[in-house]
Amino acid sequence: MNIFEALRHDHDKQRELVDALIQTHGDTEQRHRLMDELKTELEDHAKFEERYFYNPLMFDDLTHEKARHSVAEHHEIDELIEQLEDTEMSSSAWLVAAKKLHHLVHHHLSEEEHEVFQLAGKALTEGQKESLAEQYNDAMH
């Protein structure tokens, strides 16, 4: 497995969770469970993706800007999660923020998979792609 396959596997899980989250209604156990699961998944993924994918890309001229941009988007996602946690789950404002999060997560993952992965494929050796996947998966699971 290479780093792109490892990340894409977790991206698919994040898409499923964020899609399910905006289908929930009110202050329910299901909404709380999905929110907790999504928050944990996004936080762990961002931390280890930055460590085992973006960190090496920061040092390559080809990928430096994309890496910085993606890390900045991780922070935007964190801020939206904080906003959701500070908003009453039964309010309409909560769903508005959840839909913003949904949009941002989908945008971010799509950008990573269609732009960053292509550049990173040129910047990283085959050996790096495999060893980074192993380190990432060990940390995530």
Side-chain angles (χ1 to χ4, degrees):
M1 179 180 279
N2 67 38
I3 188 64
F4 308 118
E5 293 161 336
L7 295 175
R8 191 170 280 121
H9 174 269
D10 287 340
H11 287 178
D12 290 344
K13 193 186 309 179
Q14 292 165 28
R15 284 186 184 96
E16 284 173 27
L17 288 169
V18 78
D19 289 352
L21 184 68
I22 63 165
Q23 299 304 316
T24 61
H25 303 282
D27 192 346
T28 59
E29 191 179 316
Q30 182 192 23
R31 186 173 270 184
H32 280 278
R33 186 180 47 76
L34 283 167
M35 185 64 209
D36 289 346
E37 205 176 327
L38 179 63
K39 178 185 176 191
T40 300
E41 181 67 31
L42 288 171
E43 285 177 351
D44 289 351
H45 174 75
K47 176 170 57 178
F48 297 125
E49 184 178 59
E50 287 174 20
R51 189 174 300 163
Y52 300 115
F53 183 60
Y54 285 116
N55 197 32
L57 298 180
M58 288 287 185
F59 299 100
D60 192 294
D61 289 344
L62 183 65
T63 50
H64 178 80
E65 276 309 308
K66 282 283 181 209
R68 286 176 52 106
H69 174 76
S70 292
V71 169
E73 283 186 349
H74 285 170
H75 294 292
E76 287 177 46
I77 289 169
D78 289 344
E79 287 170 10
L80 270 174
I81 288 171
E82 279 181 32
Q83 185 183 336
L84 281 169
E85 290 180 319
D86 293 341
T87 305
E88 189 60 48
M89 268 195 180
S90 56
S91 74
S92 59
W94 193 92
L95 191 57
V96 169
K99 286 181 176 175
K100 274 189 201 166
L101 179 65
H102 178 269
H103 174 78
L104 182 56
V105 167
H106 275 274
H107 158 82
H108 175 70
L109 299 180
S110 176
E111 194 172 62
E112 279 184 346
E113 292 172 1
H114 297 108
E115 297 175 26
V116 183
F117 284 12
Q118 276 61 33
L119 290 174
K122 296 173 185 162
L124 300 170
T125 66
E126 291 308 310
Q128 283 176 304
K129 292 172 195 173
E130 287 173 18
S131 72
L132 291 170
E134 199 173 302
Q135 293 171 61
Y136 170 82
N137 280 328
D138 287 349
M140 274 298 282
H141 307 287

